[in-house]
Amino acid sequence: MSYITKGIMGAMMLLLVAGAKAQVTPPPATPVVNEFSVRQAVEYAKKNSIRVKNALLDIRMQQEKNREITAQALPQLSGSGTFNDYLTVPTSLLPAEITGGPAGTYIPVQFGTKYNVTGGFDASQILFDGQVFVGLQARRTSVDFYSKISDITVELINLNVQKIYYQLVVGKEQIAKIEANIERSQKLYNDTKAMFDQGFKERLDVDKAQVQLNNLQTEKIKAQNQLDVGYAGLKFLMNMPQKEKLVLTDTLSEDKIKSDLLVTEYNYKDRNEYQLLELQKKLNEYNVKRYKLSYIPTLSAFGSYQKNAQRTSFDFFKGGENRQWFTTSLIGLKLSVPIFDGFAKRARVNQAKIDLQKTENTIQNMRDSIDYDVVQANQKITAALLTMDNQKRNMELAEKVYNTTRIKYDQGLGDNLEVYNAQADLKVAQNDYYSAVYDAIVAKLDYQKAIGKLE
C-alpha cells in the first residue's frame, strides 16, 4: 500500500471519527425561562410542591379507606372447596349387640369413602351494626378533614412563596440602588483623579475615592450572591428544576402594600386551622357515638350452599348410579349480644369523651390564639407602614443632601470627605428604606393570614 493511499485512508478515518463525535455530542439545550408574577409563582408551587402532592395523596388514601368502610355494609360472598384423600378410612366403634355379639362389647367399623370433595358458597349481610353505620356517617367528614389539611399546606406554601418572592424583588431594587451608587462613586473617582492629575487634589483623596468605589462593588457582589441563593431557595420551594431560569415580573408598589387593609372585623371560621379543629371535633363526636353503640346487639343474615361427593375411586366427573353430588343449603340469622367484656367498652367510651374534651379545649385556645394573632398583626402592619413612609422621606432627604454636597464639591466649595459622608448616609437610608418595605410586605401577609384572608 502506497504512502498516498495510506494518507487518504487515514484522512477518511479522521473524518469518520470527527463525524461520530459530532453525532454523539448534542447541541447545548436552551434553558427554560419562566417569567412569573407572584400569583403565577404561587400557582406553580401549588401544582408542583411535593408537600401539596402528598397532601392530595392523603385525601385519596382516606377515600380508599372510606371504600373499605362501605364494604363492611355490603354483602360478603366467599367460595370454598376441599378435597380429602383418606389414606386410612376413619374407624368408628359400634355396639356388638347389633350383630348378635355380647353386650358391652364393640366392633370396629370403617365408615366413609377414600375420596371426598366439597365445594360451596357462603354469603353474609350485616343487618344492623351500630359501629359500622357510624363509620358510614363519618366518611364525608374524614375526607373533609384531610382536604382541610391540604388547604393548610397550600396556604403555608402560598405565604412562604410570597415572602421569598418579594424578598427577591426588594433585593433587585437594592442592587439597582447599589449600581447607581457605584456610578456616582465612579464619577467622583474620575473627577478626583483628574483634579489630582492637575495638581488640585492629593493622592490620599484619590485613594479614598478608590476605597469607596471598591467597597460598593464588593457590596454589589455580596448582594448578587444573596439574590442568587434566594432564587435557588424559591425554586426549591416551588419544586422548579434548578437548571430552569426564573424571572420575577412583579415590582414594588407602596400603594399595593397599603391596599385592602380596611378589615376591622374577622371570623374565626375564616381560618383553616379553626375549620380543621371543628372537623376534628366532629370526628371525635362520631367516635363517642361509635363506642356507645357497641353496647347494642348486632344482627346479620347468612346463607350457605354446598355440593358434596364421596367416591371409592377418583371418578368425580363420571355419571351413573352411586355417583351423585349431594346438596346442602341453609339460611339463617345471627344475633350477637354483648354481655360483659370487663368494662372495656366503657373505657373506650371514656377515652373518646376525653379526646372530645381536649379538642374543645384546643378550639377555645385557637380562638384566643387568633385574637392574639390579629392584634399583633395589626400593630405590626401599622408600625411597618409608618416606618416605611418615614424611611422613604429619609431616603429622599439623604439623596437631596448628597446631591447638594456634590454640587458644592464640584464648585470647589466643599471637600470630598463631605461627599463620602453624604454618600454613606444615603446608602444607609436606602438600606433602611428597603428593609422597611420588606417588613411592611411581610406584616401585610401575616395580617392577611391572621384574619384568614390570604390571597
Side-chain angles (χ1 to χ4, degrees):
M1 183 180 294
S2 67
Y3 291 109
I4 297 176
T5 305
K6 289 182 179 179
I8 293 174
M9 292 186 66
M12 291 178 64
M13 289 298 294
L14 288 173
L15 289 173
L16 289 172
V17 171
K21 289 184 177 179
Q23 292 176 359
V24 171
T25 305
T30 303
V32 178
V33 179
N34 300 295
E35 297 185 359
F36 284 170
S37 65
V38 67
R39 292 263 56 88
Q40 291 172 319
V42 169
E43 291 304 317
Y44 184 97
K46 289 179 181 179
K47 293 178 181 177
N48 295 279
S49 170
I50 298 300
R51 293 179 62 185
V52 175
K53 288 181 178 179
N54 285 341
L56 295 176
L57 288 176
D58 286 338
I59 297 174
R60 288 178 55 188
M61 177 70 78
Q62 185 58 46
Q63 290 171 340
E64 294 301 324
K65 289 181 179 179
N66 285 348
R67 292 186 178 95
E68 183 180 358
I69 294 172
T70 303
Q72 298 180 40
L74 298 177
Q76 308 294 308
L77 180 64
S78 63
S80 62
T82 60
F83 168 72
N84 295 325
D85 179 358
Y86 288 101
L87 301 179
T88 301
V89 177
T91 300
S92 298
L93 295 178
L94 297 179
E97 299 175 57
I98 64 175
T99 60
T105 61
Y106 297 88
I107 57 174
V109 178
Q110 287 182 311
F111 283 103
T113 58
K114 179 176 177 57
Y115 301 107
N116 288 269
V117 172
T118 302
F121 296 94
D122 295 296
S124 63
Q125 170 65 58
I126 293 177
L127 299 180
F128 178 79
D129 187 330
Q131 296 190 71
V132 172
F133 293 156
V134 171
L136 294 175
Q137 293 173 352
R139 289 176 300 175
R140 181 67 259 172
T141 304
S142 298
V143 173
D144 291 342
F145 181 82
Y146 282 98
S147 296
K148 190 52 59 180
I149 291 178
S150 176
D151 291 342
I152 292 174
T153 303
V154 168
E155 184 180 51
L156 184 61
I157 293 291
N158 179 8
L159 180 66
N160 290 334
V161 166
Q162 290 199 59
K163 285 184 177 181
I164 298 177
Y165 186 100
Y166 284 116
Q167 185 180 25
L168 296 176
V169 171
V170 170
K172 287 168 57 181
E173 293 287 339
Q174 285 181 302
I175 288 179
K177 288 296 184 182
I178 293 174
E179 290 174 344
N181 291 336
I182 290 175
E183 186 177 350
R184 293 190 186 99
S185 293
Q186 183 68 57
K187 187 175 187 305
L188 177 62
Y189 170 79
N190 293 339
D191 292 347
T192 304
K193 181 69 166 55
M195 295 175 71
F196 168 75
D197 293 339
Q198 296 174 5
F200 295 105
K201 290 291 180 182
E202 298 179 359
R203 166 57 66 179
L204 180 62
D205 297 327
V206 177
D207 292 341
K208 287 181 178 180
Q210 182 69 61
V211 168
Q212 186 182 48
L213 179 60
N214 292 343
N215 288 338
L216 287 172
Q217 290 172 341
T218 301
E219 183 181 351
K220 179 185 175 183
I221 292 173
K222 290 181 179 179
Q224 186 62 55
N225 182 61
Q226 292 176 351
L227 198 63
D228 293 339
V229 172
Y231 271 102
L234 181 56
K235 289 178 185 178
F236 177 76
L237 181 61
M238 297 165 59
N239 200 32
M240 176 184 290
Q242 293 292 335
K243 62 183 179 182
E244 295 185 8
K245 186 176 181 181
L246 178 60
V247 178
L248 310 184
T249 59
D250 280 2
T251 56
L252 292 178
S253 170
E254 292 186 11
D255 292 337
K256 186 176 180 180
I257 296 174
K258 296 176 181 179
S259 64
D260 301 325
L261 292 176
L262 301 178
V263 179
T264 56
E265 297 182 357
Y266 58 94
N267 190 331
Y268 297 127
K269 293 185 178 182
D270 289 334
R271 287 281 294 267
N272 285 322
E273 298 91 334
Y274 189 86
Q275 297 172 28
L276 181 68
L277 286 174
E278 287 190 320
L279 290 169
Q280 180 65 63
K281 178 184 175 183
K282 194 172 182 180
L283 288 174
N284 290 143
E285 291 170 346
Y286 278 126
N287 229 19
V288 173
K289 184 178 180 182
R290 177 168 70 94
Y291 289 128
K292 283 183 175 180
L293 288 176
S294 65
Y295 286 100
I296 300 176
T298 61
L299 180 65
S300 60
F302 61 89
S304 177
Y305 180 86
Q306 292 184 345
K307 285 284 189 178
N308 175 268
Q310 303 175 24
R311 303 285 191 270
T312 56
S313 59
F314 197 86
D315 55 358
F316 291 98
F317 302 104
K318 292 182 180 180
E321 190 177 357
N322 297 325
R323 289 187 173 85
Q324 300 96 331
W325 284 78
F326 302 100
T327 301
T328 301
S329 60
L330 62 89
I331 59 173
L333 294 174
K334 180 181 179 181
L335 180 67
S336 297
V337 182
I339 297 176
F340 182 71
D341 63 354
F343 305 109
K345 284 189 287 291
R346 185 175 68 179
R348 285 192 286 268
V349 170
N350 289 337
Q351 290 175 48
K353 287 181 177 179
I354 292 172
D355 283 338
L356 176 59
Q357 186 176 359
K358 287 171 63 179
T359 302
E360 290 173 344
N361 292 340
T362 305
I363 289 175
Q364 179 57 51
N365 184 67
M366 176 59 69
R367 294 193 188 99
D368 296 338
S369 177
I370 291 174
D371 291 339
Y372 172 72
D373 288 346
V374 173
V375 170
Q376 188 180 44
N378 261 316
Q379 292 173 346
K380 284 186 176 180
I381 188 63
T382 301
L385 293 177
L386 289 174
T387 301
M388 182 179 68
D389 290 340
N390 288 336
Q391 292 299 337
K392 183 179 181 180
R393 289 192 294 268
N394 193 44
M395 181 182 67
E396 292 172 347
L397 181 60
E399 189 166 1
K400 181 178 179 181
V401 169
Y402 172 81
N403 292 334
T404 302
T405 305
R406 183 58 200 271
I407 291 172
K408 289 174 60 179
Y409 175 78
D410 292 340
Q411 294 175 349
L413 302 176
D415 58 26
N416 53 5
L417 180 59
E418 293 179 342
V419 177
Y420 299 151
N421 292 336
Q423 180 144 352
D425 292 340
L426 174 59
K427 186 175 69 172
V428 171
Q430 290 170 344
N431 289 335
D432 289 345
Y433 169 71
Y434 285 113
S435 177
V437 169
Y438 182 66
D439 289 344
I441 293 172
V442 171
K444 180 179 180 179
L445 292 172
D446 289 339
Y447 175 75
Q448 292 174 332
K449 171 72 168 57
I451 63 176
K453 299 293 184 180
L454 182 64
E455 298 179 353

